[in-house]
Amino acid sequence: SQQGEEDPQALSIQEGENATMNCSYKTSINNLQWYRQNSGRGLVHLILIRSNEREKHSGRLRVTLDTSKKSSSLLITASRAADTASYFCATDQRGSTLGRLYFGRGTQLTVWP
Amino acid sequence: NAGVTQTPKFQVLKTGQSMTLQCAQDMNHEYMSWYRQDPGMGLRLIHYSVGAGITDQGEVPNGYNVSRSTTEDFPLRLLSAAPSQTSVYFCASSYFFTPDSGNTIYFGEGSWLTVV
């Protein structure tokens, strides 16, 4: 499969704790993106990190990228109940059709009040 | 600015029936695509288009047709529905990617299709 693979498949934490999700992929990439999906809704873009970047921040989100290990992590700090959702990584693979993203199967995050 | 609009939201079909899922975007995006989402499978690309008059197959195109007569619209047609096509379908659009730009994709809210 050319998809990214998220780990863990499911994560359950208390409000205030940090949540870390990982993504591994198999081929060289131009960039990697993280998306969020609330239950019954479409996916919403969170953050994009380019292949020449190692770390990126956006509010309570921190994304790292290790191209040598072909992996990325998404850290959500001080989680809130409203962060409960599925999180997907998507890769823009080098040499692939421009605009085509390959999505992983997602991590289901549950944040308990 | 409505973004990406999909209709219908829910649909039940009988095996062998045909139908069209509608998708429209008002952001003047060149790139549009259709994904299906199944439990444990993530999102799989069905068909995509890089501009009006240009379409191509994705990962799972069998049983589906698309056309792109305008920049705004990208309908997905199920030719003869099968139970295996029971899924949630998402339309998405973006500006055209380059390896350096890495545009983000905007998704519709999804269409839940059940084939009985």
Side-chain angles (χ1 to χ4, degrees):
Chain A
S1 168
Q2 295 176 297
Q3 294 175 328
E5 295 292 337
E6 289 92 345
D7 171 64
Q9 287 187 329
L11 181 60
S12 185
I13 60 174
Q14 295 289 126
E15 262 191 334
E17 294 180 339
N18 295 342
T20 300
M21 289 158 270
N22 302 297
C23 171
S24 60
Y25 57 91
K26 296 180 180 177
T27 66
S28 297
I29 60 172
N30 295 315
N31 63 74
L32 184 145
Q33 306 183 26
W34 284 91
Y35 286 79
R36 166 193 169 127
Q37 183 182 33
N38 286 0
S39 181
R41 307 296 298 274
L43 280 74
V44 175
H45 177 259
L46 293 177
I47 196 165
L48 178 153
I49 186 165
R50 291 186 170 81
S51 60
N52 61 355
E53 297 175 315
R54 292 297 167 257
E55 186 171 315
K56 206 161 183 181
H57 295 256
S58 177
R60 293 184 296 112
L61 305 180
R62 172 178 169 254
V63 169
T64 61
L65 179 65
D66 187 335
T67 53
S68 67
K69 295 181 179 178
K70 293 186 169 57
S71 67
S72 174
S73 67
L74 171 67
L75 169 67
I76 304 174
T77 59
S79 296
R80 306 165 182 167
D83 294 326
T84 295
S86 292
Y87 292 83
F88 295 86
C89 68
T91 53
D92 177 5
Q93 298 183 357
R94 208 178 291 275
S96 180
T97 303
L98 289 177
R100 179 168 178 170
L101 293 183
Y102 294 85
F103 286 84
R105 292 179 172 82
T107 292
Q108 172 61 53
L109 172 66
T110 302
V111 182
W112 298 99
Chain B
N1 188 335
V4 180
T5 304
Q6 288 182 236
T7 56
K9 181 84 171 179
F10 299 98
Q11 183 72 48
V12 179
L13 282 179
K14 293 183 179 178
T15 297
Q17 286 184 319
S18 62
M19 77 157 297
T20 299
L21 299 177
Q22 302 291 344
C23 176
Q25 51 91 9
D26 60 359
M27 296 173 281
N28 204 31
H29 285 164
E30 303 96 343
Y31 189 88
M32 296 187 74
S33 53
W34 278 100
Y35 291 86
R36 60 177 287 173
Q37 185 177 32
D38 302 291
M41 297 294 292
L43 277 81
R44 292 183 291 172
L45 182 66
I46 304 172
H47 285 285
Y48 66 95
S49 169
V50 299
I54 306 169
T55 64
D56 207 344
Q57 296 181 350
E59 193 179 350
V60 287
N62 292 340
Y64 307 95
N65 269 358
V66 291
S67 60
R68 185 95 179 269
S69 57
T70 67
T71 300
E72 295 78 19
D73 300 301
F74 191 45
L76 177 72
R77 279 182 285 278
L78 280 72
L79 308 172
S80 177
S84 61
Q85 294 178 303
T86 294
S87 188
V88 184
Y89 292 85
F90 289 97
C91 181
S93 73
S94 73
Y95 290 112
F96 198 67
F97 279 50
T98 68
D100 295 327
S101 73
N103 273 313
T104 62
I105 291 183
Y106 296 83
F107 283 84
E109 290 294 293
S111 297
W112 272 253
L113 177 67
T114 301
V115 182
V116 297

